[in-house]
Amino acid sequence: MADLFDAGPGHSRQPLAAALRPRSLDEVIGQPALTAEGSILRRRIAADQLGSIVLYGPPGIGKTSIARAVGGMLGKEFRQLHATRAGVKDIRQLADEARIRPLLIFVDEVHRFSATQADDLLAICEEGTADFIGATTQNPYTALPKALVSRSTILKLEPISIEDMEEVLNRGLRQLAGAGVEVQLTAAQKRLIAGRSGGDARRALTTLESLAIGHEGGAVNVTDAMLEEAYRAAPVNHDRSGDQHYDVISAFIKSMRGGDPDAVLYWLARLIHGGEDPRFIARRIMIQASEDVGLADNSALQTAVAAAQALEMVGLPEAQIILSHAALHVARAPKSGSANSGIAAALAAVASEPPAPVPLHLRDTHYQGAQELGHGGYRSPHKDALGWVDQPYAPGVEPGRFYQSDARLSPTFEKRADDYWERLTGRPVPKRFG
């Protein structure tokens, strides 16, 4: 395999990440499913029938580099557009150029394309005038025009592993050495840079480059203090409006539901470090306190609500402890989904069935003439020695149709309530399990 870093032109001011762009798929680090022999991308290149491709994945994992490499392998001119700046006129000019010479049109942030832009571009591709690759950090199935999705092959890229990121850094070190700058990194420092890159090769190389700047023609012994300085003003690798937002909050929620306190703290830290609105985090904890814990431990909701209120009075950074307290309570509490499943089933019934009449004995009697209408006959449990009266409350609704206890063997509130009502009424409480 050729050295990736020989690919870049020898311009002294060219960013290191740009100098190391691969010339072919063989030189791409990571993405083995995409670049392997026999992959769909390889087969399309070999057949010279690329068509429309959408590369989907987080920033800095090589979408643009792969597109350029594909263009080189196809022997086609590479023309790059940015979705926010390119108009229909620009696309049609490229169509005219494509009729003269083979082109690969690359659109960065293709999720920002309008339906009109996408239609014009697709017309070019469907006619075979040019090949097209789009790149997006957003889920293409929700963020792209449907016509573009239906006519394109979606290829998902994964964040680069720490081991592959270390290889990226090794190549960067060789490139710098070729330019006369010997950067000395310990194995631990290299691992740190690889890990803190968050799977973003561009970020790792930018960090390496910042350590080398100003040391041309000499050796650089990188210290931990130098690394800390490099990261002090580094941007946080978290998209608060894209897939990362939804994926990380999903992992946080499912970890609370699954009762894994270490995972809960990790994903909570990711949300806090990424700059998520702490009130949004608090709202999610409150929802899960009822959705996942519910009747198993009513105090979980109390903790979650108290945490949201305390957050408004305290604020970050101290409020991170309060959020941790509430999230851990939800994670460590026994679980019951009966409140969530019960109201969902009842709402579905109300939306799809004729409304049931209110039984006469449950209707309002606080007005003159109610008795003449037949309203009345309600018996209050407070006037009964048992504190319970056997009377219908929703005729036609069989027990267990909506509410089914989620109590297991643990002595939760719901389990204690089941035992109480079964002793009192002599009837089994409908249960989802057991």
Side-chain angles (χ1 to χ4, degrees):
M1 184 190 297
D3 190 326
L4 175 62
F5 294 95
D6 294 337
H11 195 289
S12 61
R13 292 188 179 179
Q14 188 179 32
L16 188 57
L20 306 181
R21 290 195 189 278
R23 294 165 297 184
S24 74
L25 294 183
D26 292 329
E27 297 178 347
V28 173
I29 297 177
Q31 314 306 332
L34 197 72
T35 62
E37 292 298 331
S39 68
I40 187 170
L41 187 57
R42 291 268 190 185
R43 297 199 308 274
R44 285 179 177 268
I45 293 170
D48 195 17
Q49 295 180 11
L50 188 68
S52 300
I53 301 286
V54 173
L55 301 177
Y56 157 48
I61 59 174
K63 296 185 292 292
T64 304
S65 296
I66 288 172
R68 287 183 177 276
V70 169
M73 295 172 73
L74 289 170
K76 297 189 175 184
E77 296 285 336
F78 185 84
R79 295 290 182 268
Q80 182 169 350
L81 296 175
H82 195 285
T84 59
R85 295 191 290 270
V88 172
K89 178 182 177 182
D90 300 305
I91 296 171
R92 291 174 180 170
Q93 285 178 344
L94 286 179
D96 293 337
E97 184 182 356
R99 295 184 180 96
I100 302 171
R101 62 179 64 87
L103 290 188
L104 171 61
I105 300 174
F106 174 71
V107 179
D108 196 13
E109 294 194 60
V110 70
H111 56 274
R112 297 180 182 272
F113 249 5
S114 67
T116 303
Q117 289 171 302
D119 286 344
D120 269 57
L121 185 60
L122 285 168
I124 298 171
C125 299
E126 289 175 346
E127 292 167 4
T129 309
D131 287 322
F132 161 71
I133 295 180
T136 178
T137 58
Q138 306 292 313
N139 186 334
Y141 295 100
T142 58
L144 267 59
K146 295 190 183 303
L148 182 59
V149 172
S150 65
R151 292 172 174 83
S152 301
T153 299
I154 310 294
L155 300 177
K156 185 177 181 182
L157 283 69
E158 299 295 339
I160 300 172
S161 69
I162 289 181
E163 290 73 23
D164 284 338
M165 195 65 72
E166 288 179 321
E167 178 56 25
V168 169
L169 291 170
N170 287 335
R171 292 187 176 188
L173 290 168
R174 291 197 293 271
Q175 174 75 6
L176 290 170
V181 183
E182 293 281 351
V183 179
Q184 305 295 327
L185 287 173
T186 66
Q189 289 171 335
K190 194 182 299 180
R191 191 82 173 175
L192 176 66
I193 296 173
R196 292 190 68 167
S197 68
D200 186 334
R202 183 168 54 237
R203 188 179 185 193
L205 291 171
T206 299
T207 300
L208 181 60
E209 190 172 28
S210 69
L211 294 169
I213 287 175
H215 297 279
E216 289 76 5
V220 184
N221 290 309
V222 176
T223 65
D224 292 344
M226 291 170 64
L227 270 177
E228 185 58 35
E229 181 185 19
Y231 281 116
R232 193 170 297 138
V236 174
N237 192 27
H238 182 77
D239 182 0
R240 291 190 294 275
S241 61
D243 283 354
Q244 277 201 354
H245 164 83
Y246 295 104
D247 287 346
V248 174
I249 195 64
S250 176
F252 176 57
I253 290 167
K254 289 168 183 171
S255 298
M256 283 192 289
R257 181 179 299 140
D260 187 329
D262 293 296
V264 165
L265 290 174
Y266 174 76
W267 295 118
L268 175 60
R270 282 278 297 271
L271 291 167
I272 293 171
H273 182 69
E276 290 283 2
D277 184 346
R279 290 169 294 187
F280 166 75
I281 301 172
R283 287 195 298 270
R284 287 311 318 179
I285 297 172
M286 283 192 287
I287 292 168
Q288 301 320 122
S290 277
E291 181 178 342
D292 292 330
V293 177
L295 296 176
D297 179 0
N298 291 306
S299 67
L301 180 58
Q302 297 169 8
T303 300
V305 172
Q309 294 171 342
L311 174 68
E312 297 294 338
M313 293 184 280
V314 176
L316 290 174
E318 289 84 357
Q320 66 193 26
I321 306 169
I322 297 168
L323 292 173
S324 171
H325 176 175
L328 285 173
H329 188 154
V330 173
R332 298 291 289 155
K335 303 299 188 288
S336 170
S338 59
N340 180 36
S341 61
I343 189 61
L347 284 170
V350 167
S352 61
E353 300 173 8
V358 178
L360 292 176
H361 67 284
L362 298 184
R363 295 189 186 186
D364 181 26
T365 58
H366 291 87
Y367 59 91
Q368 189 174 0
Q371 208 167 22
E372 286 75 6
L373 292 174
H375 299 185
Y378 170 70
R379 291 176 293 158
S380 173
H382 296 304
K383 296 178 180 179
D384 187 272
L386 292 176
W388 172 73
V389 174
D390 190 1
Q391 62 185 339
Y393 291 95
V397 177
E398 294 300 320
R401 183 181 180 191
F402 303 134
Y403 173 73
Q404 294 180 355
S405 172
D406 246 357
R408 277 79 167 184
L409 297 176
S410 56
T412 64
F413 168 84
E414 197 160 27
K415 179 66 168 63
R416 297 194 303 272
D418 288 355
D419 294 343
Y420 168 78
W421 285 105
E422 287 177 355
R423 288 194 307 270
L424 183 65
T425 66
R427 302 169 189 165
V429 173
K431 293 180 172 60
R432 292 179 67 193
F433 306 98

mmCIF file with all atom_site columns, all heavy atoms in Angstrom, residues 391-412:
data_model
loop_
_atom_site.group_PDB
_atom_site.id
_atom_site.type_symbol
_atom_site.label_atom_id
_atom_site.label_alt_id
_atom_site.label_comp_id
_atom_site.label_asym_id
_atom_site.label_entity_id
_atom_site.label_seq_id
_atom_site.pdbx_PDB_ins_code
_atom_site.Cartn_x
_atom_site.Cartn_y
_atom_site.Cartn_z
_atom_site.occupancy
_atom_site.B_iso_or_equiv
_atom_site.pdbx_formal_charge
_atom_site.auth_seq_id
_atom_site.auth_comp_id
_atom_site.auth_asym_id
_atom_site.auth_atom_id
_atom_site.pdbx_PDB_model_num
ATOM 1   N N   . GLN A 1 391 ? -68.845 -2.073  43.084 1.00 0.00 ? 391 GLN A N   1
ATOM 2   C CA  . GLN A 1 391 ? -69.792 -1.466  42.157 1.00 0.00 ? 391 GLN A CA  1
ATOM 3   C C   . GLN A 1 391 ? -69.064 -1.174  40.844 1.00 0.00 ? 391 GLN A C   1
ATOM 4   O O   . GLN A 1 391 ? -67.849 -0.979  40.836 1.00 0.00 ? 391 GLN A O   1
ATOM 5   C CB  . GLN A 1 391 ? -70.393 -0.180  42.748 1.00 0.00 ? 391 GLN A CB  1
ATOM 6   C CG  . GLN A 1 391 ? -69.362 0.912   43.014 1.00 0.00 ? 391 GLN A CG  1
ATOM 7   C CD  . GLN A 1 391 ? -69.957 2.132   43.723 1.00 0.00 ? 391 GLN A CD  1
ATOM 8   O OE1 . GLN A 1 391 ? -71.154 2.380   43.696 1.00 0.00 ? 391 GLN A OE1 1
ATOM 9   N NE2 . GLN A 1 391 ? -69.085 2.903   44.380 1.00 0.00 ? 391 GLN A NE2 1
ATOM 10  N N   . PRO A 1 392 ? -69.794 -1.174  39.718 1.00 0.00 ? 392 PRO A N   1
ATOM 11  C CA  . PRO A 1 392 ? -69.111 -0.941  38.429 1.00 0.00 ? 392 PRO A CA  1
ATOM 12  C C   . PRO A 1 392 ? -68.707 0.525   38.257 1.00 0.00 ? 392 PRO A C   1
ATOM 13  O O   . PRO A 1 392 ? -69.453 1.426   38.641 1.00 0.00 ? 392 PRO A O   1
ATOM 14  C CB  . PRO A 1 392 ? -70.170 -1.349  37.411 1.00 0.00 ? 392 PRO A CB  1
ATOM 15  C CG  . PRO A 1 392 ? -71.479 -1.152  38.111 1.00 0.00 ? 392 PRO A CG  1
ATOM 16  C CD  . PRO A 1 392 ? -71.226 -1.446  39.549 1.00 0.00 ? 392 PRO A CD  1
ATOM 17  N N   . TYR A 1 393 ? -67.556 0.713   37.684 1.00 0.00 ? 393 TYR A N   1
ATOM 18  C CA  . TYR A 1 393 ? -67.077 2.074   37.397 1.00 0.00 ? 393 TYR A CA  1
ATOM 19  C C   . TYR A 1 393 ? -66.937 2.338   35.898 1.00 0.00 ? 393 TYR A C   1
ATOM 20  O O   . TYR A 1 393 ? -67.019 3.493   35.471 1.00 0.00 ? 393 TYR A O   1
ATOM 21  C CB  . TYR A 1 393 ? -65.730 2.321   38.094 1.00 0.00 ? 393 TYR A CB  1
ATOM 22  C CG  . TYR A 1 393 ? -65.854 2.402   39.598 1.00 0.00 ? 393 TYR A CG  1
ATOM 23  C CD1 . TYR A 1 393 ? -65.644 1.289   40.398 1.00 0.00 ? 393 TYR A CD1 1
ATOM 24  C CD2 . TYR A 1 393 ? -66.225 3.586   40.213 1.00 0.00 ? 393 TYR A CD2 1
ATOM 25  C CE1 . TYR A 1 393 ? -65.773 1.355   41.786 1.00 0.00 ? 393 TYR A CE1 1
ATOM 26  C CE2 . TYR A 1 393 ? -66.363 3.678   41.594 1.00 0.00 ? 393 TYR A CE2 1
ATOM 27  C CZ  . TYR A 1 393 ? -66.134 2.553   42.377 1.00 0.00 ? 393 TYR A CZ  1
ATOM 28  O OH  . TYR A 1 393 ? -66.276 2.626   43.735 1.00 0.00 ? 393 TYR A OH  1
ATOM 29  N N   . ALA A 1 394 ? -66.710 1.303   35.117 1.00 0.00 ? 394 ALA A N   1
ATOM 30  C CA  . ALA A 1 394 ? -66.635 1.436   33.653 1.00 0.00 ? 394 ALA A CA  1
ATOM 31  C C   . ALA A 1 394 ? -67.226 0.174   33.052 1.00 0.00 ? 394 ALA A C   1
ATOM 32  O O   . ALA A 1 394 ? -66.489 -0.737  32.649 1.00 0.00 ? 394 ALA A O   1
ATOM 33  C CB  . ALA A 1 394 ? -65.199 1.653   33.194 1.00 0.00 ? 394 ALA A CB  1
ATOM 34  N N   . PRO A 1 395 ? -68.552 0.089   33.011 1.00 0.00 ? 395 PRO A N   1
ATOM 35  C CA  . PRO A 1 395 ? -69.194 -1.121  32.487 1.00 0.00 ? 395 PRO A CA  1
ATOM 36  C C   . PRO A 1 395 ? -68.705 -1.439  31.069 1.00 0.00 ? 395 PRO A C   1
ATOM 37  O O   . PRO A 1 395 ? -68.588 -0.553  30.215 1.00 0.00 ? 395 PRO A O   1
ATOM 38  C CB  . PRO A 1 395 ? -70.679 -0.751  32.488 1.00 0.00 ? 395 PRO A CB  1
ATOM 39  C CG  . PRO A 1 395 ? -70.815 0.303   33.529 1.00 0.00 ? 395 PRO A CG  1
ATOM 40  C CD  . PRO A 1 395 ? -69.544 1.084   33.463 1.00 0.00 ? 395 PRO A CD  1
ATOM 41  N N   . GLY A 1 396 ? -68.430 -2.688  30.829 1.00 0.00 ? 396 GLY A N   1
ATOM 42  C CA  . GLY A 1 396 ? -67.953 -3.109  29.511 1.00 0.00 ? 396 GLY A CA  1
ATOM 43  C C   . GLY A 1 396 ? -66.445 -3.150  29.405 1.00 0.00 ? 396 GLY A C   1
ATOM 44  O O   . GLY A 1 396 ? -65.897 -3.723  28.452 1.00 0.00 ? 396 GLY A O   1
ATOM 45  N N   . VAL A 1 397 ? -65.743 -2.525  30.341 1.00 0.00 ? 397 VAL A N   1
ATOM 46  C CA  . VAL A 1 397 ? -64.275 -2.568  30.346 1.00 0.00 ? 397 VAL A CA  1
ATOM 47  C C   . VAL A 1 397 ? -63.852 -3.692  31.278 1.00 0.00 ? 397 VAL A C   1
ATOM 48  O O   . VAL A 1 397 ? -63.982 -3.578  32.506 1.00 0.00 ? 397 VAL A O   1
ATOM 49  C CB  . VAL A 1 397 ? -63.662 -1.224  30.801 1.00 0.00 ? 397 VAL A CB  1
ATOM 50  C CG1 . VAL A 1 397 ? -62.135 -1.335  30.850 1.00 0.00 ? 397 VAL A CG1 1
ATOM 51  C CG2 . VAL A 1 397 ? -64.071 -0.102  29.852 1.00 0.00 ? 397 VAL A CG2 1
ATOM 52  N N   . GLU A 1 398 ? -63.375 -4.770  30.683 1.00 0.00 ? 398 GLU A N   1
ATOM 53  C CA  . GLU A 1 398 ? -62.990 -5.931  31.473 1.00 0.00 ? 398 GLU A CA  1
ATOM 54  C C   . GLU A 1 398 ? -61.715 -5.647  32.270 1.00 0.00 ? 398 GLU A C   1
ATOM 55  O O   . GLU A 1 398 ? -60.821 -4.938  31.789 1.00 0.00 ? 398 GLU A O   1
ATOM 56  C CB  . GLU A 1 398 ? -62.760 -7.134  30.553 1.00 0.00 ? 398 GLU A CB  1
ATOM 57  C CG  . GLU A 1 398 ? -64.019 -7.620  29.853 1.00 0.00 ? 398 GLU A CG  1
ATOM 58  C CD  . GLU A 1 398 ? -65.089 -8.060  30.823 1.00 0.00 ? 398 GLU A CD  1
ATOM 59  O OE1 . GLU A 1 398 ? -64.740 -8.702  31.841 1.00 0.00 ? 398 GLU A OE1 1
ATOM 60  O OE2 . GLU A 1 398 ? -66.276 -7.733  30.594 1.00 0.00 ? 398 GLU A OE2 1
ATOM 61  N N   . PRO A 1 399 ? -61.628 -6.180  33.491 1.00 0.00 ? 399 PRO A N   1
ATOM 62  C CA  . PRO A 1 399 ? -60.395 -5.991  34.274 1.00 0.00 ? 399 PRO A CA  1
ATOM 63  C C   . PRO A 1 399 ? -59.163 -6.462  33.505 1.00 0.00 ? 399 PRO A C   1
ATOM 64  O O   . PRO A 1 399 ? -59.163 -7.548  32.918 1.00 0.00 ? 399 PRO A O   1
ATOM 65  C CB  . PRO A 1 399 ? -60.637 -6.863  35.512 1.00 0.00 ? 399 PRO A CB  1
ATOM 66  C CG  . PRO A 1 399 ? -62.125 -6.955  35.631 1.00 0.00 ? 399 PRO A CG  1
ATOM 67  C CD  . PRO A 1 399 ? -62.642 -6.969  34.221 1.00 0.00 ? 399 PRO A CD  1
ATOM 68  N N   . GLY A 1 400 ? -58.150 -5.647  33.487 1.00 0.00 ? 400 GLY A N   1
ATOM 69  C CA  . GLY A 1 400 ? -56.904 -5.981  32.800 1.00 0.00 ? 400 GLY A CA  1
ATOM 70  C C   . GLY A 1 400 ? -56.835 -5.532  31.362 1.00 0.00 ? 400 GLY A C   1
ATOM 71  O O   . GLY A 1 400 ? -55.821 -5.707  30.702 1.00 0.00 ? 400 GLY A O   1
ATOM 72  N N   . ARG A 1 401 ? -57.931 -4.924  30.860 1.00 0.00 ? 401 ARG A N   1
ATOM 73  C CA  . ARG A 1 401 ? -57.867 -4.467  29.473 1.00 0.00 ? 401 ARG A CA  1
ATOM 74  C C   . ARG A 1 401 ? -56.853 -3.340  29.314 1.00 0.00 ? 401 ARG A C   1
ATOM 75  O O   . ARG A 1 401 ? -56.142 -3.267  28.317 1.00 0.00 ? 401 ARG A O   1
ATOM 76  C CB  . ARG A 1 401 ? -59.251 -3.987  29.015 1.00 0.00 ? 401 ARG A CB  1
ATOM 77  C CG  . ARG A 1 401 ? -59.236 -3.572  27.552 1.00 0.00 ? 401 ARG A CG  1
ATOM 78  C CD  . ARG A 1 401 ? -60.540 -3.062  27.039 1.00 0.00 ? 401 ARG A CD  1
ATOM 79  N NE  . ARG A 1 401 ? -60.392 -2.690  25.637 1.00 0.00 ? 401 ARG A NE  1
ATOM 80  C CZ  . ARG A 1 401 ? -61.298 -2.005  24.956 1.00 0.00 ? 401 ARG A CZ  1
ATOM 81  N NH1 . ARG A 1 401 ? -62.435 -1.651  25.530 1.00 0.00 ? 401 ARG A NH1 1
ATOM 82  N NH2 . ARG A 1 401 ? -61.075 -1.688  23.701 1.00 0.00 ? 401 ARG A NH2 1
ATOM 83  N N   . PHE A 1 402 ? -56.800 -2.446  30.284 1.00 0.00 ? 402 PHE A N   1
ATOM 84  C CA  . PHE A 1 402 ? -55.873 -1.317  30.215 1.00 0.00 ? 402 PHE A CA  1
ATOM 85  C C   . PHE A 1 402 ? -54.755 -1.461  31.251 1.00 0.00 ? 402 PHE A C   1
ATOM 86  O O   . PHE A 1 402 ? -53.583 -1.454  30.895 1.00 0.00 ? 402 PHE A O   1
ATOM 87  C CB  . PHE A 1 402 ? -56.619 0.006   30.414 1.00 0.00 ? 402 PHE A CB  1
ATOM 88  C CG  . PHE A 1 402 ? -57.731 0.231   29.424 1.00 0.00 ? 402 PHE A CG  1
ATOM 89  C CD1 . PHE A 1 402 ? -58.967 0.675   29.847 1.00 0.00 ? 402 PHE A CD1 1
ATOM 90  C CD2 . PHE A 1 402 ? -57.529 -0.012  28.079 1.00 0.00 ? 402 PHE A CD2 1
ATOM 91  C CE1 . PHE A 1 402 ? -59.997 0.874   28.938 1.00 0.00 ? 402 PHE A CE1 1
ATOM 92  C CE2 . PHE A 1 402 ? -58.546 0.188   27.153 1.00 0.00 ? 402 PHE A CE2 1
ATOM 93  C CZ  . PHE A 1 402 ? -59.785 0.629   27.589 1.00 0.00 ? 402 PHE A CZ  1
ATOM 94  N N   . TYR A 1 403 ? -55.163 -1.591  32.513 1.00 0.00 ? 403 TYR A N   1
ATOM 95  C CA  . TYR A 1 403 ? -54.129 -1.700  33.552 1.00 0.00 ? 403 TYR A CA  1
ATOM 96  C C   . TYR A 1 403 ? -53.787 -3.163  33.808 1.00 0.00 ? 403 TYR A C   1
ATOM 97  O O   . TYR A 1 403 ? -54.670 -3.983  34.105 1.00 0.00 ? 403 TYR A O   1
ATOM 98  C CB  . TYR A 1 403 ? -54.574 -1.059  34.868 1.00 0.00 ? 403 TYR A CB  1
ATOM 99  C CG  . TYR A 1 403 ? -53.578 -1.327  35.986 1.00 0.00 ? 403 TYR A CG  1
ATOM 100 C CD1 . TYR A 1 403 ? -52.355 -0.670  36.010 1.00 0.00 ? 403 TYR A CD1 1
ATOM 101 C CD2 . TYR A 1 403 ? -53.846 -2.274  36.963 1.00 0.00 ? 403 TYR A CD2 1
ATOM 102 C CE1 . TYR A 1 403 ? -51.419 -0.936  36.995 1.00 0.00 ? 403 TYR A CE1 1
ATOM 103 C CE2 . TYR A 1 403 ? -52.918 -2.545  37.965 1.00 0.00 ? 403 TYR A CE2 1
ATOM 104 C CZ  . TYR A 1 403 ? -51.706 -1.869  37.963 1.00 0.00 ? 403 TYR A CZ  1
ATOM 105 O OH  . TYR A 1 403 ? -50.772 -2.144  38.927 1.00 0.00 ? 403 TYR A OH  1
ATOM 106 N N   . GLN A 1 404 ? -52.474 -3.441  33.684 1.00 0.00 ? 404 GLN A N   1
ATOM 107 C CA  . GLN A 1 404 ? -51.950 -4.750  34.057 1.00 0.00 ? 404 GLN A CA  1
ATOM 108 C C   . GLN A 1 404 ? -50.725 -4.501  34.932 1.00 0.00 ? 404 GLN A C   1
ATOM 109 O O   . GLN A 1 404 ? -49.795 -3.798  34.526 1.00 0.00 ? 404 GLN A O   1
ATOM 110 C CB  . GLN A 1 404 ? -51.558 -5.566  32.823 1.00 0.00 ? 404 GLN A CB  1
ATOM 111 C CG  . GLN A 1 404 ? -52.749 -5.949  31.961 1.00 0.00 ? 404 GLN A CG  1
ATOM 112 C CD  . GLN A 1 404 ? -52.344 -6.752  30.743 1.00 0.00 ? 404 GLN A CD  1
ATOM 113 O OE1 . GLN A 1 404 ? -51.167 -6.956  30.478 1.00 0.00 ? 404 GLN A OE1 1
ATOM 114 N NE2 . GLN A 1 404 ? -53.338 -7.202  29.990 1.00 0.00 ? 404 GLN A NE2 1
ATOM 115 N N   . SER A 1 405 ? -50.749 -5.055  36.114 1.00 0.00 ? 405 SER A N   1
ATOM 116 C CA  . SER A 1 405 ? -49.671 -4.819  37.063 1.00 0.00 ? 405 SER A CA  1
ATOM 117 C C   . SER A 1 405 ? -48.341 -5.323  36.510 1.00 0.00 ? 405 SER A C   1
ATOM 118 O O   . SER A 1 405 ? -48.270 -6.377  35.884 1.00 0.00 ? 405 SER A O   1
ATOM 119 C CB  . SER A 1 405 ? -49.972 -5.523  38.385 1.00 0.00 ? 405 SER A CB  1
ATOM 120 O OG  . SER A 1 405 ? -48.844 -5.443  39.238 1.00 0.00 ? 405 SER A OG  1
ATOM 121 N N   . ASP A 1 406 ? -47.309 -4.530  36.732 1.00 0.00 ? 406 ASP A N   1
ATOM 122 C CA  . ASP A 1 406 ? -45.950 -4.918  36.356 1.00 0.00 ? 406 ASP A CA  1
ATOM 123 C C   . ASP A 1 406 ? -45.163 -5.409  37.569 1.00 0.00 ? 406 ASP A C   1
ATOM 124 O O   . ASP A 1 406 ? -43.938 -5.510  37.512 1.00 0.00 ? 406 ASP A O   1
ATOM 125 C CB  . ASP A 1 406 ? -45.209 -3.739  35.728 1.00 0.00 ? 406 ASP A CB  1
ATOM 126 C CG  . ASP A 1 406 ? -44.885 -3.997  34.259 1.00 0.00 ? 406 ASP A CG  1
ATOM 127 O OD1 . ASP A 1 406 ? -45.187 -5.093  33.772 1.00 0.00 ? 406 ASP A OD1 1
ATOM 128 O OD2 . ASP A 1 406 ? -44.337 -3.097  33.599 1.00 0.00 ? 406 ASP A OD2 1
ATOM 129 N N   . ALA A 1 407 ? -45.859 -5.666  38.674 1.00 0.00 ? 407 ALA A N   1
ATOM 130 C CA  . ALA A 1 407 ? -45.166 -6.101  39.888 1.00 0.00 ? 407 ALA A CA  1
ATOM 131 C C   . ALA A 1 407 ? -44.575 -7.487  39.694 1.00 0.00 ? 407 ALA A C   1
ATOM 132 O O   . ALA A 1 407 ? -45.218 -8.376  39.137 1.00 0.00 ? 407 ALA A O   1
ATOM 133 C CB  . ALA A 1 407 ? -46.129 -6.107  41.068 1.00 0.00 ? 407 ALA A CB  1
ATOM 134 N N   . ARG A 1 408 ? -43.338 -7.653  40.130 1.00 0.00 ? 408 ARG A N   1
ATOM 135 C CA  . ARG A 1 408 ? -42.719 -8.971  40.125 1.00 0.00 ? 408 ARG A CA  1
ATOM 136 C C   . ARG A 1 408 ? -42.635 -9.451  41.573 1.00 0.00 ? 408 ARG A C   1
ATOM 137 O O   . ARG A 1 408 ? -43.573 -9.299  42.321 1.00 0.00 ? 408 ARG A O   1
ATOM 138 C CB  . ARG A 1 408 ? -41.331 -8.912  39.474 1.00 0.00 ? 408 ARG A CB  1
ATOM 139 C CG  . ARG A 1 408 ? -41.348 -8.993  37.940 1.00 0.00 ? 408 ARG A CG  1
ATOM 140 C CD  . ARG A 1 408 ? -41.698 -7.687  37.292 1.00 0.00 ? 408 ARG A CD  1
ATOM 141 N NE  . ARG A 1 408 ? -41.414 -7.698  35.855 1.00 0.00 ? 408 ARG A NE  1
ATOM 142 C CZ  . ARG A 1 408 ? -41.550 -6.661  35.082 1.00 0.00 ? 408 ARG A CZ  1
ATOM 143 N NH1 . ARG A 1 408 ? -41.948 -5.506  35.574 1.00 0.00 ? 408 ARG A NH1 1
ATOM 144 N NH2 . ARG A 1 408 ? -41.284 -6.746  33.791 1.00 0.00 ? 408 ARG A NH2 1
ATOM 145 N N   . LEU A 1 409 ? -41.515 -10.001 41.941 1.00 0.00 ? 409 LEU A N   1
ATOM 146 C CA  . LEU A 1 409 ? -41.364 -10.540 43.290 1.00 0.00 ? 409 LEU A CA  1
ATOM 147 C C   . LEU A 1 409 ? -40.940 -9.484  44.306 1.00 0.00 ? 409 LEU A C   1
ATOM 148 O O   . LEU A 1 409 ? -41.100 -9.669  45.499 1.00 0.00 ? 409 LEU A O   1
ATOM 149 C CB  . LEU A 1 409 ? -40.349 -11.690 43.275 1.00 0.00 ? 409 LEU A CB  1
ATOM 150 C CG  . LEU A 1 409 ? -40.745 -12.904 42.435 1.00 0.00 ? 409 LEU A CG  1
ATOM 151 C CD1 . LEU A 1 409 ? -39.622 -13.933 42.429 1.00 0.00 ? 409 LEU A CD1 1
ATOM 152 C CD2 . LEU A 1 409 ? -42.030 -13.527 42.965 1.00 0.00 ? 409 LEU A CD2 1
ATOM 153 N N   . SER A 1 410 ? -40.357 -8.378  43.812 1.00 0.00 ? 410 SER A N   1
ATOM 154 C CA  . SER A 1 410 ? -39.833 -7.383  44.749 1.00 0.00 ? 410 SER A CA  1
ATOM 155 C C   . SER A 1 410 ? -40.971 -6.666  45.466 1.00 0.00 ? 410 SER A C   1
ATOM 156 O O   . SER A 1 410 ? -42.041 -6.439  44.891 1.00 0.00 ? 410 SER A O   1
ATOM 157 C CB  . SER A 1 410 ? -38.965 -6.365  44.002 1.00 0.00 ? 410 SER A CB  1
ATOM 158 O OG  . SER A 1 410 ? -39.709 -5.765  42.956 1.00 0.00 ? 410 SER A OG  1
ATOM 159 N N   . PRO A 1 411 ? -40.776 -6.282  46.721 1.00 0.00 ? 411 PRO A N   1
ATOM 160 C CA  . PRO A 1 411 ? -41.839 -5.644  47.520 1.00 0.00 ? 411 PRO A CA  1
ATOM 161 C C   . PRO A 1 411 ? -42.003 -4.176  47.156 1.00 0.00 ? 411 PRO A C   1
ATOM 162 O O   . PRO A 1 411 ? -41.852 -3.284  47.999 1.00 0.00 ? 411 PRO A O   1
ATOM 163 C CB  . PRO A 1 411 ? -41.350 -5.827  48.954 1.00 0.00 ? 411 PRO A CB  1
ATOM 164 C CG  . PRO A 1 411 ? -39.855 -5.835  48.834 1.00 0.00 ? 411 PRO A CG  1
ATOM 165 C CD  . PRO A 1 411 ? -39.552 -6.516  47.513 1.00 0.00 ? 411 PRO A CD  1
ATOM 166 N N   . THR A 1 412 ? -42.320 -3.892  45.884 1.00 0.00 ? 412 THR A N   1
ATOM 167 C CA  . THR A 1 412 ? -42.515 -2.519  45.439 1.00 0.00 ? 412 THR A CA  1
ATOM 168 C C   . THR A 1 412 ? -43.889 -2.026  45.856 1.00 0.00 ? 412 THR A C   1
ATOM 169 O O   . THR A 1 412 ? -44.732 -2.792  46.340 1.00 0.00 ? 412 THR A O   1
ATOM 170 C CB  . THR A 1 412 ? -42.395 -2.438  43.914 1.00 0.00 ? 412 THR A CB  1
ATOM 171 O OG1 . THR A 1 412 ? -43.462 -3.222  43.339 1.00 0.00 ? 412 THR A OG1 1
ATOM 172 C CG2 . THR A 1 412 ? -41.070 -2.984  43.428 1.00 0.00 ? 412 THR A CG2 1
#
